[in-house]
Amino acid sequence: MTEQHFDALIVGAGFGGIYQLHKLLSLGLSAKVIDFAGDVGGTWYWNRYPGAMSDTESFVYRYSWDTEDLQSYPWSHHYVKQPDVLKYLEHTVERHGLRKHMQFNTEMVGADWDDEAGVWRVEVNTGEVFVVKYLVTALGLLSKANYPDIPGIETFQGNMCHTAKWRTGLQFENKRVGVIGCGSTGIQVITDVASKVKTLACFQRHPQYSVPSGDGPVSDEYRDFVNQNYTEIMRQVRDSVCGFGFVESKTSFRSVPVEEREDIFEQLWQKGNGFRFMFGGFSDISTDREANEAACKFIRKKISQTVKDPEKARKLMPHDYYARRPLCDGGYYQQFNRENVSIVDLKDTPISRITPNGIETSDGNVHELDVIIFATGFDAIDGNYNRVRIRGRDGKTLKQHWEPAGPTSYLGVFVPEFPNLCMITGPQGPFSNIPPAIELHVELISAMIERAEQRRRESDSPGQNVIEALPEAEKAWIQECESAAEGSLFKETASWIFGNNVKDKKVALRFFFGGLAKYCKAVQDIINNGYRGFRPLGGERTSAET
Ligand code: NA7
């Protein structure tokens, strides 16, 4: 068993791990990134399914900290597709000389805190053990694939693939293809493959509301404008609620005259983007039932205008709240005008089993297929944490800590009794565009580590210089998250955000819904108040003593 010693081990080589590595190296620390994958990319390494793209616009789906790169790195369209994002992350790693600090095909299997030595001992699948002061987990919000539990799945004689573990080279052209799931991923796959396959059967349990993405090539003038305003754009992102690069509306639905409301929805529809549609025209689509229903009605109208077959249109129309993570697409509903594309409404005829030839529904019909694509989502947020042993002070595992109430944290980053464990986008982090949320976490973690290291150098009791959230701080943050979600229709709508999508998973609030600006302010307040909520570092006085 080989031991490797570093100041920090970072688990995950996606957006979070890459930036964290860069930050820690620039602080003069020794650090290593490991990843189960064969190369960099995180989510974007695995999700290579046809049509995969970010639903955040290109200009804000990137790091803000490398100004020169921000202004010079090319992007051709308003949305970046999976190969573009992967290339961008590879480019960032090369540009900053990070690859030599990374080790791939290496999976964390367990991590134990050694309280006496003040280190984490991290076991990986290669037999090595990493002994580090800081363990930073950049495991990704959406990385553990959720496979459906359908009887007979193992008997299927065609090809099966989950979108989040896409096998490049999987042949679907001119084949009979079935897609299970119509969330963000399902609609992207369906939109992309519909014209390439022989037949496409879309197995849909709950239809979702989707609006156009508004994708298209970027003009030189647009790019010049963005470049000239990048500093202000990135400042606004942090000062906004969702960080999608537009200003959220402060206008309530009811304050707008009835005859003007439809125009606003139409403008949002034309402009594109799911988050803009939900938050850019009215302030209360996700909180006011009447406003929400008006948005639903508008989208349903668009579905009925787009989809020519009234029966297909009926099946595609959602009737629950518009309160899941908002979707956008590049022509999803239009695909159902193709003769070869059908929709199987699983509310009418649930799947009974998978047979060697296809999928059998409760009406006895076997939908014959050559390929089944599972677009069935993720065991999100805590899924990746619960499958490994992470043992903190006194031998308690993170899983045990989270068992009673669901996954909790202080600021989405720190957990009491787990010293020097720092999670990038852990549970109860901001519900927003992901890169800015990641940056905020990396910057907070780096500042905390820098402070602990400084104290360690100054103090004669280095073992005590650990970053550790206090239990009361975690409780207070849970409370903050609860209040921020108060009145949100998201809370009344089942989705992966609360863990409803995975059998036996604890249903709990997994995000801070207060927005990026409030999150930044909360962090700043904590720092300004003597790092409130953290165990004092060795030699420091507690707030009760000062
Ligand atoms: P989602 O949004 O969790 O969607 C998963 C879809 O799969 C959804 O339509 C589910 O239906 C469906 N599903 C899951 N299990 C089954 C079974 N057993 N049978 C039929 N249908 C099933 O995951 P995505 O990957 O699309 O998107 C996740 C996030 O990634 C997205 O929000 C973006 O942030 C990127 P249900 O609605 O549960 O009835």
Side-chain angles (χ1 to χ4, degrees):
M1 190 163 58
T2 2
E3 272 195 3
Q4 294 206 45
H5 293 250
F6 292 96
D7 289 319
L9 181 73
I10 300 160
V11 186
F15 262 100
I18 293 170
Y19 184 31
Q20 186 66 74
L21 176 64
H22 173 69
K23 278 297 264 188
L24 293 183
L25 293 176
S26 63
L27 288 176
L29 297 176
S30 63
K32 184 89 167 179
V33 166
I34 58 165
D35 200 304
F36 176 44
D39 212 320
V40 296
T43 293
W44 299 101
Y45 175 89
W46 296 107
N47 282 268
R48 293 169 190 247
Y49 60 86
M53 72 167 210
S54 159
D55 60 10
T56 303
E57 287 186 57
S58 309
F59 74 124
V60 285
Y61 200 74
R62 53 201 57 250
Y63 295 121
S64 70
W65 46 270
D66 185 342
T67 316
E68 194 189 292
D69 198 53
L70 204 49
Q71 296 189 327
S72 56
Y73 191 82
W75 31 274
S76 61
H77 282 68
H78 285 282
Y79 289 84
V80 267
K81 315 296 175 296
Q82 179 271 339
D84 305 324
V85 186
L86 198 55
K87 237 188 249 161
Y88 169 69
L89 292 175
E90 286 164 356
H91 153 84
T92 307
V93 166
E94 301 312 328
R95 178 175 162 88
H96 294 279
L98 302 175
R99 192 170 277 279
K100 57 180 175 289
H101 305 282
M102 296 179 158
Q103 181 174 321
F104 298 105
N105 303 304
T106 305
E107 184 181 14
M108 169 168 76
V109 292
D112 296 84
W113 172 251
D114 177 340
D115 207 28
E116 230 173 79
V119 292
W120 281 97
R121 293 183 193 281
V122 184
E123 286 172 33
V124 297
N125 63 342
T126 59
E128 295 155 292
V129 174
F130 290 89
V131 182
V132 296
K133 283 184 276 182
Y134 306 100
L135 173 59
V136 183
T137 48
L139 305 185
L141 281 173
L142 297 156
S143 47
K144 187 181 172 205
N146 176 39
Y147 287 87
D149 183 14
I150 302 174
I153 199 163
E154 68 294 341
T155 66
F156 185 60
Q157 283 178 352
N159 279 311
M160 291 187 288
C161 195
H162 193 291
T163 47
K165 291 279 176 304
W166 191 259
R167 292 200 307 275
T168 30
L170 178 79
Q171 289 296 310
F172 57 85
E173 289 86 355
N174 302 316
K175 306 268 187 210
R176 298 166 304 170
V177 175
V179 174
I180 303 182
C182 57
S184 189
T185 304
I187 63 165
Q188 290 183 355
V189 176
I190 290 167
T191 307
D192 190 276
V193 306
S195 60
K196 302 170 186 160
V197 300
K198 187 170 175 195
T199 57
L200 180 62
C202 307
F203 294 85
Q204 170 198 270
R205 210 161 53 178
H206 286 94
Q208 293 206 42
Y209 299 92
S210 185
V211 307
S213 63
D215 196 10
V218 162
S219 67
D220 290 345
E221 297 72 42
Y222 172 82
R223 183 65 205 254
D224 285 347
F225 170 82
V226 169
N227 275 355
Q228 279 160 24
N229 292 282
Y230 243 138
T231 312
E232 174 55 22
I233 287 169
M234 289 306 189
R235 194 201 54 72
Q236 189 276 335
V237 162
R238 288 193 181 200
D239 206 23
S240 69
V241 180
C242 26
F244 270 69
F246 65 86
V247 178
E248 287 92 4
S249 172
K250 292 201 163 51
T251 308
S252 74
F253 178 77
R254 291 167 203 243
S255 70
V256 175
V258 177
E259 62 282 8
E260 289 171 27
R261 295 171 182 171
E262 193 80 352
D263 281 352
I264 295 176
F265 282 131
E266 185 61 36
Q267 281 163 25
L268 292 166
W269 182 271
Q270 295 305 332
K271 184 104 178 110
N273 190 276
F275 273 77
R276 186 187 280 111
F277 192 86
M278 191 181 271
F279 299 105
F282 302 100
S283 60
D284 48 3
I285 297 289
S286 67
T287 49
D288 181 296
R289 281 163 223 275
E290 187 186 328
N292 193 272
E293 178 50 24
C296 296
K297 241 169 126 174
F298 182 87
I299 300 175
R300 284 196 291 265
K301 182 187 82 182
K302 289 289 186 188
I303 297 172
S304 74
Q305 287 170 351
T306 310
V307 180
K308 305 223 161 58
D309 176 343
E311 188 50 15
K312 283 187 188 173
R314 181 190 69 78
K315 289 180 181 170
L316 284 164
M317 277 182 209
H319 289 278
D320 41 11
Y321 289 129
Y322 178 39
R324 293 174 166 201
R325 191 179 177 284
L327 310 186
C328 61
D329 64 82
Y332 172 61
Y333 296 118
Q334 286 83 340
Q335 305 312 314
F336 294 90
N337 291 332
R338 294 177 189 277
E339 286 285 308
N340 66 329
V341 180
S342 61
I343 181 134
V344 182
D345 188 338
L346 300 180
K347 277 197 294 276
D348 293 346
T349 53
I351 295 176
S352 345
R353 61 191 179 113
I354 293 182
T355 71
N357 303 330
I359 297 179
E360 186 181 317
T361 39
S362 63
D363 51 0
N365 196 2
V366 176
H367 304 264
E368 297 213 344
L369 301 167
D370 305 308
V371 179
I372 301 177
I373 298 173
F374 297 109
T376 44
F378 300 88
D379 181 354
I381 309 166
D382 43 321
N384 257 344
Y385 284 89
N386 286 337
R387 74 195 175 102
V388 284
R389 180 195 76 238
I390 300 179
R391 197 175 276 152
R393 216 188 269 292
D394 300 330
K396 191 176 174 190
T397 65
L398 198 53
K399 198 170 175 210
Q400 286 165 336
H401 181 75
W402 285 346
E403 241 149 29
T408 51
S409 74
Y410 187 32
L411 301 169
V413 182
F414 308 100
V415 185
E417 304 292 316
F418 290 81
N420 287 359
L421 170 69
C422 311
M423 304 179 293
I424 299 175
T425 61
Q428 302 183 332
F431 180 72
S432 69
N433 179 21
I434 301 295
I438 283 174
E439 289 191 0
L440 288 171
H441 279 177
V442 169
E443 285 159 20
L444 172 63
I445 292 166
S446 308
M448 296 297 292
I449 291 181
E450 189 178 15
R451 176 172 174 270
E453 283 297 294
Q454 194 179 341
R455 182 61 64 147
R456 188 185 287 272
R457 283 191 294 271
E458 289 163 359
S459 157
D460 47 11
S461 54
Q464 290 176 39
N465 291 316
V466 292
I467 303 164
E468 189 177 353
L470 296 168
E472 55 268 31
E474 183 186 43
K475 275 200 197 101
W477 185 246
I478 298 170
Q479 208 40 59
E480 283 277 335
C481 291
E482 289 294 343
S483 338
E486 199 57 50
S488 169
L489 296 173
F490 274 73
K491 267 179 98 174
E492 298 182 34
T493 312
S495 79
W496 62 265
I497 293 172
F498 297 89
N500 311 79
N501 64 327
V502 175
K503 199 168 158 240
D504 299 331
K505 192 167 172 170
K506 188 95 196 169
V507 173
L509 181 57
R510 283 173 166 76
F511 281 101
F512 171 65
F513 274 95
L516 283 175
K518 281 199 182 135
Y519 181 83
C520 288
K521 189 175 172 304
V523 170
Q524 210 44 59
D525 280 355
I526 287 162
I527 294 173
N528 294 345
N529 283 292
Y531 292 84
R532 193 182 60 223
F534 290 96
R535 219 166 96 122
L537 297 177
E540 246 179 20
R541 287 191 297 166
T542 62
S543 48
E545 290 167 331
T546 50

